[in-house]
Amino acid sequence: MTGGAMDPLPAAAVTAAAEVEADEEANLPAAGLPTPPASERRDPDPRRMQVPPGNPLLLSHTLQELLARDSVQVELIPEKKGLFLKHVEYEVSSQRFRASVYRRYNDFVVFHALLLQKFPYRMVPALPPKRMLGADREFIEARRRALKRFINLVARHPPFSEDEVLRLFLCFSGPDVQSKLKESAQCVGDEFLNCKLATRAKDFLPADIQTQFAVSRELIRSVYNSFYKLRDRAERMAARAIDNAADLLIFGRELSALGSDTTPLPSWAALNSSTWGSLKQALKGLSVEFAVLADKAAQQGKQEEDAVVEKLNLFLDLLQSYKDLCERHEKGVLHKHQRALHKYSLMKRQMSAAVHSHEPESVEQLESRIVEQENAIQTMELRNHFSLFCLHQETQLVHAYLPLTSHILGAFVSSQIQGHKEMSKVWNDLKPKLHCLFSGPASALTPPRSPRDGLSPH
């Protein structure tokens, strides 16, 4: 690091500089959130932010362990009329905390902003967009699914899952949860200030961390692009199954309408009245099987939406949060560190010019500013190393989620097998009922030939 050429500062000075600089680096994502004064920091919860044994950089979480941390359901509550507009509420139920609370979208917004404030160097999943005027049921359902994915990713994330703000969001049932959430974040500071190893993060980083970061970022970008295409095709297949269900249902209804027609046959019709009556009765009865087929196709489409498309969306949300984190790292602390180094260089040149000009007052002021800038640079370097430390851990978390691919493929194959098996049974049950369509005088009705038995036109 460029700042490594400077003399190391005393630990007390580094800590003081870290606290003074914390407010700027926290990057509050929304207005109205509490900014803890440096002199009023509360001691972090002793159960949190402890240095784990062994190399703290390395994580050992498996996918099963992450999924077992919690399972959170988000269900729509019927709309209520406010003073001017209707608003949507959600029932949020946590299996881990055995709690069920009511939340509105704006509650999620405040919770999301606090996560970014407290954990600026972690993967914080994005929220779905705010409701627009005229939002339909499809939009509301899509947002419910997205909120469910968001809260489950957060509840299963190791640092988030142990934080008080998550427990409040999932458990607090009193009035004004937003104020309660903001109050819990006051005078606490972000993860850098609360983690005991933050100032020693550089000691745990591999020498080629920058190279590893670049390689991981490119790999995850490629994985994201592939999964995006998989999700797109899975959505289309699920939609086709649902469209097929609608077509089968309409097909059956038309057969029923044809069988229910009471228009009498004209005297010159080739079919006699009794034959046409039998044929209509048979057509009318077939609508039942087509309704069953439509139901099976709809079930398959719904199963693929829930077990395949939603899991692909969950993984895409995770990958997108990693991409957002990489961007925050580059545009946040890294950019500020480089800007501080540039400012430090300018101040050094000003000092040199002041010395040559024999301006003692200017020299004294510049010396004081340079010391402050050196402290700020030192703190930014510590934050930069901690940011890379967290990035390394978040990369490991993404890799821990990669086996979700097998879950997705398994669900897709099982859905296809089950769907085709059930529909095949209905088709096979329907086939014998077609024989009644060809009963009657041999001269009147004959069953259709198989394509293989087709006669040559010659």
Side-chain angles (χ1 to χ4, degrees), residues 15-23 35-42 187 193:
T15 303
E19 293 183 350
V20 170
E21 180 264 352
D23 291 343
T35 302
S39 59
E40 299 180 9
R41 305 288 187 201
R42 287 204 303 255
C187 308
L193 294 174

Side-chain angles (χ1 to χ4, degrees), residues 269-289:
L271 292 176
N272 59 51
S273 180
S274 62
T275 303
W276 175 232
S278 299
L279 183 58
K280 288 198 299 180
Q281 190 64 30
L283 290 173
K284 189 175 181 180
L286 292 178
S287 64
V288 176
E289 277 72 20

Side-chain angles (χ1 to χ4, degrees), residues 55-204:
N55 186 350
L57 181 66
L58 303 179
L59 303 178
S60 59
H61 303 293
T62 65
L63 176 61
Q64 291 303 322
E65 290 171 346
L66 292 172
L67 296 179
R69 282 178 174 260
D70 201 355
S71 177
V72 185
Q73 299 300 318
V74 178
E75 301 297 338
L76 277 171
I77 297 175
E79 290 188 353
K80 298 179 180 179
K81 283 192 175 181
L83 186 59
F84 299 106
L85 298 171
K86 291 181 178 180
H87 65 264
V88 178
E89 277 192 323
Y90 305 92
E91 183 176 9
V92 181
S93 305
S94 166
Q95 189 177 77
R96 172 191 174 192
F97 292 107
R98 297 181 181 179
S100 184
V101 294
Y102 297 131
R103 295 289 179 259
R104 294 178 60 181
Y105 177 77
N106 286 340
D107 299 332
F108 280 90
V109 171
V110 171
F111 175 59
H112 177 265
L114 288 172
L115 285 176
L116 281 172
Q117 175 186 319
K118 297 184 76 174
F119 299 96
Y121 311 123
R122 300 289 183 180
M123 294 185 295
V124 179
L127 284 176
K130 188 175 179 64
R131 181 179 183 179
M132 299 300 183
L133 291 176
D136 55 17
R137 290 183 178 274
E138 185 177 347
F139 171 85
I140 293 172
E141 171 59 16
R143 192 172 70 175
R144 181 198 68 80
R145 288 174 177 264
L147 290 173
K148 180 181 176 181
R149 297 194 301 270
F150 163 80
I151 193 61
N152 275 283
L153 284 173
V154 169
R156 294 164 182 169
H157 189 285
F160 301 164
S161 65
E162 301 304 321
D163 195 78
E164 174 67 8
V165 73
L166 174 69
R167 189 192 66 79
L168 281 173
F169 185 80
L170 293 177
C171 299
F172 181 72
S173 58
D176 198 1
V177 65
Q178 295 182 23
S179 296
K180 190 71 175 179
L181 289 169
K182 293 175 183 178
E183 180 186 338
S184 73
Q186 285 181 342
C187 308
V188 173
D190 66 5
E191 187 183 11
F192 174 77
L193 294 174
N194 291 324
C195 182
K196 291 190 174 183
L197 57 77
T199 57
R200 296 190 293 117
K202 182 179 180 181
D203 300 338
F204 304 102

Side-chain angles (χ1 to χ4, degrees), residues 296-345:
K296 298 295 183 186
Q299 287 179 22
Q300 181 178 349
K302 183 69 166 58
Q303 173 70 14
E304 289 175 4
E305 280 185 345
D306 294 340
V308 180
V309 176
E310 272 306 290
K311 286 181 180 177
L312 285 168
N313 278 326
L314 178 81
F315 192 49
L316 281 172
D317 289 350
L318 178 75
L319 295 175
Q320 183 61 54
S321 68
Y322 181 86
K323 292 169 65 178
D324 294 343
L325 175 61
C326 292
E327 190 170 339
R328 285 204 305 275
H329 171 74
E330 289 191 335
K331 293 184 177 181
V333 63
L334 185 60
H335 174 71
K336 289 181 179 180
H337 182 212
Q338 293 170 344
R339 191 172 59 188
L341 289 173
H342 177 68
K343 183 178 178 181
Y344 179 75
S345 177

